Amino acid sequence: QELTKMVQDTGVDGIELNLSCPHGMPERKMGAAMGEHPDLVEEVTEWSRSVATVPVWAKMTPNITHITQPALAAVKGGADGISAINTILSVIGVNIDTFAPMPTVEGHSVPGGYSCQAVRPIALRQVMELARALPKETSICGIGGIESSEDAIQFLLLGASTLQVCTAVMLQGHGIVKEMCEGLSAWMDKHKFEKLEDVVGKSLEYFTTHADLVERQKAAKIAKAGQSNRDNEWAEKKFTDVTADLTAE
């Protein structure tokens, strides 16, 4: 509560609770170590929300089986929004001559957070899961491998209403944000979207189950086979004869 007051007194527009940092924090039972436990997520979010006068987001760790569980706990604790995802805990490789895992510090290492475009498919999936599980009024901030307007649009279509970009800006500079804004605006004009709210979650309706996909594919094959047989039948007849068959009582 004290930290929340100190931060908001600086004039910020919102507060993000980093319940997902994989670097050093878990060793002190903080960061991702907290974000893996819904009960702690709810408790900490409630502490902050009880004194906050600005919106509060809770940032989720992807290093968990069901990201919706801590997210729902954060909402129960009063979070206005959920940010996802943080980096994915990884080992990027091992030097097979020195046997040291990479990157190394004096020959030693520790698993660290993997980011940028490689994590985008995972981030998209987890943002989609959150959008389907959270209350409609809960804002989702999409994070993870956004490098272009096309990337940004995909997160919006899966339910994010705001976005964060970090690694791409570090590598390419702030200029990429201008392209993202211009590209998003042009795409919205092309598809006749008048406001951003109309874009958010537009693709969610196209997710279904494996069983449903099998049935859809089966029905499509049957329809295609029927069309193929009809085409062959028509090819063997004069067009006028086919017309007569179709119009006969």
Side-chain angles (χ1 to χ4, degrees), residues 7 29-30 51 60 72 97 112 116 142 173 190 214 219 228 237:
V7 171
K29 307 302 180 184
M30 300 170 67
V51 296
M60 298 291 104
L72 286 168
D97 292 319
C116 210
K190 175 183 177 182
V214 171
S228 176
K237 290 184 177 182

Side-chain angles (χ1 to χ4, degrees), residues 116-125 144-147 151 154-155:
C116 210
Q117 58 182 290
V119 309
R120 187 165 59 243
I122 299 170
L124 287 169
R125 187 259 298 178
I146 301 175
E147 298 184 303
D151 298 337
Q154 290 180 53
F155 276 87

Side-chain angles (χ1 to χ4, degrees), residues 214-224:
V214 171
E215 292 303 314
R216 287 174 180 271
Q217 188 177 49
K218 187 186 299 182
K221 286 182 177 179
I222 292 173
K224 185 176 181 181

Side-chain angles (χ1 to χ4, degrees), residues 61-120:
T61 175
N63 305 303
I64 190 170
T65 304
H66 300 294
I67 196 171
T68 56
Q69 293 179 355
L72 286 168
V75 172
K76 187 177 179 181
D80 299 285
I82 299 295
S83 299
I85 59 174
N86 208 319
T87 53
I88 296 175
L89 202 60
S90 304
V91 174
I92 65 170
V94 177
N95 186 314
I96 62 174
D97 292 319
T98 66
F99 316 127
M102 299 184 290
T104 63
V105 177
E106 299 300 322
H108 291 72
S109 189
V110 65
Y114 197 39
S115 64
C116 210
Q117 58 182 290
V119 309
R120 187 165 59 243

Side-chain angles (χ1 to χ4, degrees), residues 24-47:
M25 302 292 283
E27 297 172 10
R28 292 177 282 160
K29 307 302 180 184
M30 300 170 67
M34 298 175 65
E36 294 170 355
H37 300 281
D39 55 334
L40 294 179
V41 169
E42 180 182 349
E43 184 175 22
V44 173
T45 304
E46 195 170 40
W47 289 345

Side-chain angles (χ1 to χ4, degrees), residues 18-239:
N18 191 351
L19 304 171
S20 48
C21 179
H23 299 128
M25 302 292 283
E27 297 172 10
R28 292 177 282 160
K29 307 302 180 184
M30 300 170 67
M34 298 175 65
E36 294 170 355
H37 300 281
D39 55 334
L40 294 179
V41 169
E42 180 182 349
E43 184 175 22
V44 173
T45 304
E46 195 170 40
W47 289 345
S48 179
R49 182 68 274 180
S50 67
V51 296
T53 57
V54 294
V56 174
W57 281 266
K59 190 172 184 180
M60 298 291 104
T61 175
N63 305 303
I64 190 170
T65 304
H66 300 294
I67 196 171
T68 56
Q69 293 179 355
L72 286 168
V75 172
K76 187 177 179 181
D80 299 285
I82 299 295
S83 299
I85 59 174
N86 208 319
T87 53
I88 296 175
L89 202 60
S90 304
V91 174
I92 65 170
V94 177
N95 186 314
I96 62 174
D97 292 319
T98 66
F99 316 127
M102 299 184 290
T104 63
V105 177
E106 299 300 322
H108 291 72
S109 189
V110 65
Y114 197 39
S115 64
C116 210
Q117 58 182 290
V119 309
R120 187 165 59 243
I122 299 170
L124 287 169
R125 187 259 298 178
Q126 294 193 323
V127 164
M128 175 272 291
E129 290 175 340
L130 290 169
R132 287 162 55 123
L134 296 176
K136 295 299 182 184
E137 64 272 15
T138 303
S139 171
I140 298 175
C141 183
I143 314 167
I146 301 175
E147 298 184 303
S148 66
S149 57
E150 183 175 348
D151 298 337
I153 291 165
Q154 290 180 53
F155 276 87
L156 295 171
L157 288 170
L158 293 184
S161 56
T162 58
L163 307 169
Q164 290 185 41
V165 183
C166 180
T167 307
V169 169
M170 293 170 67
L171 296 175
Q172 302 178 48
H174 291 93
I176 65 169
V177 177
K178 181 180 180 182
E179 183 281 325
M180 290 180 188
C181 294
E182 292 175 347
L184 172 60
S185 180
W187 177 84
M188 289 181 65
D189 289 342
K190 175 183 177 182
H191 292 277
K192 296 180 171 54
F193 287 110
E194 294 186 1
K195 55 186 184 298
L196 196 61
E197 289 79 2
D198 297 333
V199 178
V200 175
K202 184 70 174 177
S203 294
L204 293 175
E205 63 181 292
Y206 299 108
F207 284 95
T208 183
T209 64
H210 278 90
D212 182 58
L213 290 179
V214 171
E215 292 303 314
R216 287 174 180 271
Q217 188 177 49
K218 187 186 299 182
K221 286 182 177 179
I222 292 173
K224 185 176 181 181
Q227 182 63 48
S228 176
N229 292 336
R230 193 177 303 115
D231 289 345
N232 292 334
E233 180 183 335
W234 283 26
E236 295 170 0
K237 290 184 177 182
K238 291 181 180 179
F239 191 79

